[in-house]
Amino acid sequence: MFVCLLLGLLVLAPASAKKKDPRYDALSDTYKAWLEKIELLIADEEREAFLQLEEDYQRDAFIERFWKIRDLYPDTTRNETKERWETLLEEVIDVFGSMHDQRSEMVLLNEMPDSRIEFRCTGVVVNLEAWYYRSSTRVGYEFFVLFYQRYGAQNYHLWRPGEGLGELLDNSAAAPGHQRDFWQSLSTCQQGDIVERVIRILLSNPLEFDMLEAKLTSPAVSPSPEWIATFDSYSTELPENAEVFAAELLLDFPSRYQTRTVMQGTVKIDPTAVGRTAMEGHESYDLLLSGEILRKERLFENFRYKFDFPATAIGDAPIPMSFERRLRPGSYKLIVKVEDLASGRYYREARDIDVPDLDRRPRPPPDAESAAILEAAAATLDVDVTTIQIVQPRGDMHSGMVRFNTLTTGDDIAEVVFILDETTRMRKRTPPWSLDLDLGRVPQTRQLQVVAVDAEGNELARDQVTLNGGVHRFGVQLTEPLGDQLYEHSVAATAALAIPEDSAVDKVEFYFNEDLVATLFQPPFTQEILLPTKGAVGYVRAVAYQPDGNSTEDLVFVNAPDLLEEVEVEFVELYTTVLDKENRPVLDLAEADFTAFEDGVEQSVVRFDLVRDLPIHAGIMLDTSASMEGSIDGTKQAALQFFRDTITPKDRAALVTFSDYPNLAMKFSNEIEDLAAGLGGIKAERGTALYDSLIFALYYFNGVRGQRVLLLLSDGKDEASRFSYDDALEYARRTGVAIYAIGLQITGKGAREAKGALNEISKETGGRSFFIESVDELGEIYAAIQAEIRSRYLIGYQSSNVEGGRGFREVSVAVGRGGLKAKTMSGYYP
């Protein structure tokens, strides 16, 4: 993996050319040494950004971030890339004496060669080294390189065939034109025949060597060019000759959060000191707050907030820009910069702060079971306030009876209410605050809430978790405000996030009604929101974004009257394929050609697209049971071809293999090499657990949005599943994943039932079934599936069913043009 990271990141460049910059001369020896150490790894734009930094703490933070973005395994405590680079540096300095010898540079770029010959033949050639690579980090085929040492020089240089043999000859050797004498003399030396072969290979095609050298020594490229701009955006330095305005910075330390102290900051600005942004008659104050916190002269953390205040909401009152940080007790330096986006003016203040260690007044848990859970979870919660937290059960794919425990603090809890999917399941009035819940036969996605109330029935705290949400779920939940509390002047909105694996959060926006209040770019995602009037009625909305633009949101009403009834309206997306009589996709239809129905009631379509270019998440599910033994090689090749033909950079594919149990052979990826690796080593053996494996594969899609398809290849005969066919069918209906089932050589006893099962599952999910006799037919089948999923219509509507209920809702799509057939999922569970 390390070799993949260095691919295309390095450059051979003279150190002296880069060290003439006066900003380099002004650096301390520590930072000069660092730049020299990573000279071949740093991109020009990264070096320029580093030289522009003014403070040592910024340089330290830059170095830390520089290595972090190159870390192959960011979830581990080690940085393997940094460790490998430092190991290579030690090796080349030990072997070659310097990192600036071109042999050293070749190793840093391409690792050590597979073989290396040090050639000494005085009177014929200068000192040479011939290197052989089977392949390198940058080149996937074998090649030779030759290094030579000029007279009186210490370092070696890479020999290029275009330089001619004269560069290699010893002073006492024959003239360059007398090549016959040269080759004859060379052959008399020990290992001369090997060196002669290397030189002749390199001379045979100088143009090819030039292309090889370009691959081996291409310029450095940052693995994430955006990180430099992101790093700069957090800086608190003011631009040269910046205009400034006055403001007031207020700090308070009101409470604890676990082992840290909460610091609340507010920058108060006179509205006459800043400008207004006017757009279509709407005026607002648009301000960007950046902050840095230093501890012991090193950057401890930085943060950034964007505020958008409607001018009508501010009036003549000061503009309050609030922020919250959670710090361990101790001494820090806080630097705050505010940029007025309307006028381009700035406010900046640096202040030394002492974060107090607040009195925690610990109280023991009310029962032994809670104490054991608390210890096992290693949780140190804030005991100055009443809290409740659900302890997630271990593992995933939860079904059947599952025990749920909670962690609580405070001694004023009189009752805990357990709510599953909006239905109250239990009210407990004595600890332990735990409950056994039946989650059903199959692992459905469920919402569990717990609410702690006092003796008068007032809500004290609540928590919510998503069960069986999957590793791809991206969600946001507003844990504050609480719907039944009264807020007079402000609301401390707090958002909790569920983030998919291998992903990140770009930002979280907070709204009051539809007015954007603040944008937060890093946790904690907590923001004080001023109410426009005392006790104002409205709603707080939090919207979280991923770097690719995918978003999710949550909404909570504030100060709503008891008679307000929240109506939950489902937005339904139907990916629909339209086929003609020859089963060919039809692509020239308009929105007016479609009619959508739910439970027989016509729906009003609010979104319509032909989705040829929308990203696809595709899974291939391969039967590897013993009955597939003669077909494994063919199925692997067909699956690989499907990946090659279908998966573009914006798509993702996964591979699930199964015999008597399922196996995630390759998680979602768009790298064909990774998907091909998942196909390697597959062996046909054991029995067939088709229905268990189908539920497993569909579960893996949990949290994935947009177009989702699963290609299932099997002989269709289930022999070892714990779940039944009915379980698998119901679960498939719940997921909304289109299943394309391919039955291979389904014959003999039970063939009719097996074909019927695959056909029904495909039909119910909006997919299609195929039945073939040979794996040679798979290529054509996969091509047809690929064409179909690239030719679907997206029909979206807001369900007119507002009566609630969690029963199955049947859907269908009709096409007004004759001779055409529309395929979509048969329904959904709200």
Side-chain angles (χ1 to χ4, degrees):
M1 291 295 293
F2 176 82
V3 297
C4 297
L5 177 78
L6 290 183
L7 191 62
L9 296 184
L10 311 175
V11 60
L12 294 174
S16 59
K18 294 185 176 181
K19 295 179 181 177
K20 292 180 180 179
D21 193 317
R23 296 172 300 178
Y24 175 87
D25 295 334
L27 293 175
S28 68
D29 290 343
T30 298
Y31 300 114
K32 287 180 180 178
W34 181 76
L35 281 176
E36 181 176 4
K37 184 175 70 172
I38 51 87
E39 185 174 342
L40 296 177
L41 187 59
I42 192 170
D44 287 342
E45 61 270 24
E46 292 174 320
R47 179 185 173 87
E48 176 63 23
F50 183 78
L51 291 176
Q52 288 180 2
L53 299 176
E54 299 285 343
E55 304 289 343
D56 283 352
Y57 76 84
Q58 296 173 333
R59 297 183 181 103
D60 293 335
F62 183 100
I63 293 171
E64 181 178 347
R65 183 63 178 159
F66 175 88
W67 287 118
K68 186 174 182 179
I69 65 163
R70 288 164 167 81
D71 190 1
L72 294 171
Y73 310 103
D75 293 333
T76 66
T77 56
R78 298 171 51 201
N79 189 318
E80 291 79 5
T81 303
K82 180 182 179 182
E83 292 177 3
R84 182 58 183 150
W85 184 258
E86 292 175 345
T87 298
L88 279 176
L89 282 175
E90 292 177 2
E91 289 181 5
V92 299
I93 292 173
D94 181 59
V95 175
F96 305 119
S98 166
M99 65 172 290
H100 297 297
D101 188 296
Q102 288 192 354
R103 295 170 301 175
S104 299
E105 294 168 340
M106 183 63 67
V107 171
L108 291 171
L109 299 173
N110 297 277
E111 299 271 316
M112 282 291 188
D114 293 285
S115 63
R116 168 176 162 243
I117 296 176
E118 300 181 55
F119 187 68
R120 305 289 183 267
C121 190
T122 304
V124 178
V125 293
V126 296
N127 294 337
L128 303 177
E129 286 195 15
W131 290 15
Y132 167 70
Y133 284 89
R134 290 190 180 91
S135 64
S136 81
T137 59
R138 296 179 158 211
V139 177
Y141 51 83
E142 66 178 5
F143 62 90
F144 294 91
V145 289
L146 187 71
F147 296 94
Y148 68 99
Q149 187 181 40
R150 292 191 179 104
Y151 289 109
Q154 181 178 0
N155 293 333
Y156 278 68
H157 298 270
L158 178 69
W159 182 69
R160 300 167 179 85
E163 298 175 350
L165 292 175
E167 290 290 336
L168 306 181
L169 295 177
D170 194 334
N171 284 339
S172 59
H178 301 149
Q179 291 192 13
R180 178 178 299 178
D181 295 338
F182 169 76
W183 297 118
Q184 288 178 347
S185 300
L186 189 64
S187 64
T188 64
C189 302
Q190 186 176 3
Q191 295 185 311
D193 55 335
I194 299 176
V195 174
E196 176 184 348
R197 178 170 174 264
V198 171
I199 296 175
R200 289 188 183 277
I201 289 174
L202 296 176
L203 285 171
S204 64
N205 196 334
L207 180 60
E208 181 177 318
F209 183 84
D210 291 342
M211 297 172 62
L212 172 67
E213 183 185 6
K215 293 180 179 178
L216 299 177
T217 61
S218 58
V221 177
S222 172
S224 176
E226 295 83 3
W227 86 267
I228 303 172
T230 302
F231 183 88
D232 289 341
S233 69
Y234 282 82
S235 172
T236 59
E237 294 296 322
L238 296 184
E240 189 174 358
N241 301 320
E243 295 186 27
V244 298
F245 61 86
E248 182 181 9
L249 173 62
L250 305 175
L251 297 178
D252 189 22
F253 304 94
S255 63
R256 292 186 60 88
Y257 178 83
Q258 298 184 14
T259 60
R260 301 194 177 198
T261 298
V262 175
M263 179 185 74
Q264 288 184 344
T266 303
V267 178
K268 299 179 69 174
I269 302 172
D270 185 337
T272 62
V274 293
R276 295 186 182 185
T277 302
M279 296 290 292
E280 297 294 331
H282 174 77
E283 292 189 335
S284 61
Y285 298 100
D286 301 304
L287 303 158
L288 189 63
L289 184 150
S290 302
E292 294 177 324
I293 298 177
L294 280 60
R295 188 172 193 180
K296 297 180 180 179
E297 302 304 320
R298 293 184 62 87
L299 183 64
F300 179 75
E301 69 172 25
N302 52 14
F303 53 92
R304 189 161 63 108
Y305 296 72
K306 185 177 183 297
F307 295 87
D308 303 89
F309 297 99
T312 54
I314 294 298
D316 297 329
I319 301 173
M321 302 178 62
S322 62
F323 59 92
E324 178 179 306
R325 309 312 299 166
R326 297 163 181 172
L327 305 171
R328 294 186 178 91
S331 298
Y332 299 84
K333 183 175 184 177
L334 170 66
I335 307 172
V336 173
K337 180 185 76 174
V338 177
E339 178 182 359
D340 175 19
L341 300 181
S343 69
R345 300 168 67 209
Y346 296 86
Y347 158 78
R348 184 180 189 273
E349 181 172 345
R351 182 183 298 182
D352 293 327
I353 59 175
D354 289 313
V355 177
D357 187 359
L358 300 182
D359 179 17
R360 302 182 62 205
R361 300 188 301 278
R363 303 183 184 94
D367 62 284
E369 184 171 352
S370 293
I373 296 170
L374 192 67
E375 182 179 355
T380 306
L381 300 176
D382 185 352
V383 296
D384 292 329
V385 296
T386 300
T387 66
I388 188 166
Q389 176 185 342
I390 300 171
V391 179
Q392 281 269 17
R394 293 184 178 180
D396 51 17
M397 295 187 69
H398 299 293
S399 60
M401 295 299 297
V402 178
R403 185 169 183 81
F404 291 93
N405 298 298
T406 64
L407 296 171
T408 61
T409 61
D411 55 4
D412 50 353
I413 298 176
E415 180 181 71
V416 172
V417 184
F418 291 81
I419 304 170
L420 183 65
D421 295 334
E422 301 179 2
T423 300
T424 299
R425 302 296 291 269
M426 176 68 74
R427 292 179 176 270
K428 295 201 70 176
R429 293 181 172 84
T430 57
W433 309 116
S434 57
L435 181 67
D436 291 319
L437 284 175
D438 186 356
L439 301 182
R441 279 185 51 80
V442 295
Q444 307 168 30
T445 301
R446 315 291 292 267
Q447 299 291 331
L448 176 63
Q449 295 184 65
V450 291
V451 181
V453 298
D454 62 17
E456 286 72 40
N458 300 311
E459 180 176 325
L460 300 172
R462 71 166 58 213
D463 191 25
Q464 175 177 311
V465 296
T466 299
L467 308 174
N468 297 323
V471 296
H472 308 295
R473 177 177 173 265
F474 179 44
V476 60
Q477 176 199 351
L478 280 167
T479 58
E480 181 84 11
L482 301 176
D484 56 357
Q485 286 196 6
L486 178 63
Y487 299 89
E488 293 190 351
H489 303 290
S490 66
V491 173
T494 302
L497 300 179
I499 305 171
E501 64 176 11
D502 302 327
S503 186
V505 174
D506 183 49
K507 61 184 178 181
V508 175
E509 296 176 341
F510 286 95
Y511 294 78
F512 186 75
N513 296 332
E514 288 307 305
D515 291 328
L516 177 63
V517 175
T519 305
L520 280 60
F521 296 91
Q522 68 286 309
F525 295 110
T526 298
Q527 181 59 43
E528 193 76 20
I529 298 176
L530 295 180
L531 300 181
T533 59
K534 183 177 179 180
V537 176
Y539 56 85
V540 172
R541 186 161 64 96
V543 185
Y545 295 86
Q546 292 178 288
D548 62 4
N550 185 27
S551 66
T552 183
E553 64 179 76
D554 190 24
L555 180 149
V556 174
F557 283 94
V558 176
N559 299 330
D562 294 338
L563 54 84
L564 178 66
E565 181 181 359
E566 293 187 37
V567 177
E568 189 171 322
V569 179
E570 297 286 340
F571 182 75
V572 183
E573 292 183 335
L574 302 178
Y575 287 92
T576 305
T577 302
V578 180
L579 304 175
D580 61 18
K581 293 180 180 179
E582 284 74 38
N583 280 330
R584 295 174 301 192
V586 179
L587 305 176
D588 60 347
L589 299 176
E591 180 178 346
D593 294 316
F594 293 89
T595 306
F597 298 89
E598 181 177 304
D599 289 334
V601 179
E602 184 175 342
Q603 304 294 307
S604 177
V605 175
V606 296
R607 182 179 179 185
F608 176 83
D609 291 300
L610 178 61
V611 294
R612 302 195 73 169
D613 297 323
L614 285 186
I616 292 173
H617 278 78
I620 284 189
M621 186 175 165
L622 294 182
D623 188 341
T624 59
S625 61
S627 58
M628 296 285 292
E629 183 173 6
S631 307
I632 285 296
D633 290 340
T635 59
K636 288 162 58 176
Q637 291 301 318
L640 180 58
Q641 193 61 46
F642 174 82
F643 291 143
R644 287 172 175 162
D645 294 342
T646 306
I647 303 305
T648 69
K650 61 186 177 182
D651 302 317
R652 298 292 185 273
L655 177 66
V656 174
T657 61
F658 70 97
S659 51
D660 52 4
Y661 63 90
N663 171 54
L664 180 62
M666 179 52 62
K667 64 182 182 180
F668 280 121
S669 172
N670 61 359
E671 296 291 340
I672 302 301
E673 293 80 4
D674 292 342
L675 296 167
L679 290 165
I682 293 176
K683 180 181 180 181
E685 57 184 353
R686 300 191 298 272
T688 307
L690 173 60
Y691 303 138
D692 285 1
S693 301
L694 179 58
I695 289 175
F696 173 88
L698 292 172
Y699 179 86
Y700 184 63
F701 277 90
N702 273 7
V704 175
R705 298 186 177 187
Q707 289 204 88
R708 300 167 299 159
V709 296
L710 178 65
L711 283 62
L712 164 61
L713 175 64
S714 175
D715 58 15
K717 300 175 182 178
D718 188 287
E719 301 169 339
S721 285
R722 175 171 62 92
F723 293 113
S724 67
Y725 165 71
D726 290 336
D727 293 331
L729 178 60
E730 179 190 354
Y731 194 77
R733 282 174 162 179
R734 291 183 180 275
T735 62
V737 178
I739 298 174
Y740 289 82
I742 305 170
L744 175 62
Q745 298 175 348
I746 300 180
T747 58
K749 185 179 180 180
R752 181 176 180 180
E753 291 78 6
K755 288 182 178 180
L758 294 179
N759 187 61
E760 185 174 11
I761 286 177
S762 300
K763 182 179 178 181
E764 287 288 305
T765 58
R768 191 173 167 191
S769 58
F770 305 84
F771 299 99
I772 58 179
E773 297 300 321
S774 170
V775 292
D776 295 337
E777 303 174 61
L778 280 174
E780 182 179 346
I781 299 299
Y782 283 152
I785 295 173
Q786 193 263 0
E788 185 170 311
I789 61 180
R790 290 290 186 196
S791 309
R792 300 205 289 176
Y793 297 91
L794 173 57
I795 300 170
Y797 67 87
Q798 297 279 6
S799 173
S800 61
N801 184 349
V802 295
E803 297 180 358
R806 295 195 168 271
F808 186 72
R809 299 180 182 181
E810 294 184 354
V811 299
S812 62
V813 174
V815 182
R817 192 184 302 180
L820 303 181
K821 176 178 62 176
K823 294 194 309 91
T824 191
M825 64 183 186
S826 64
Y828 70 97
Y829 286 91

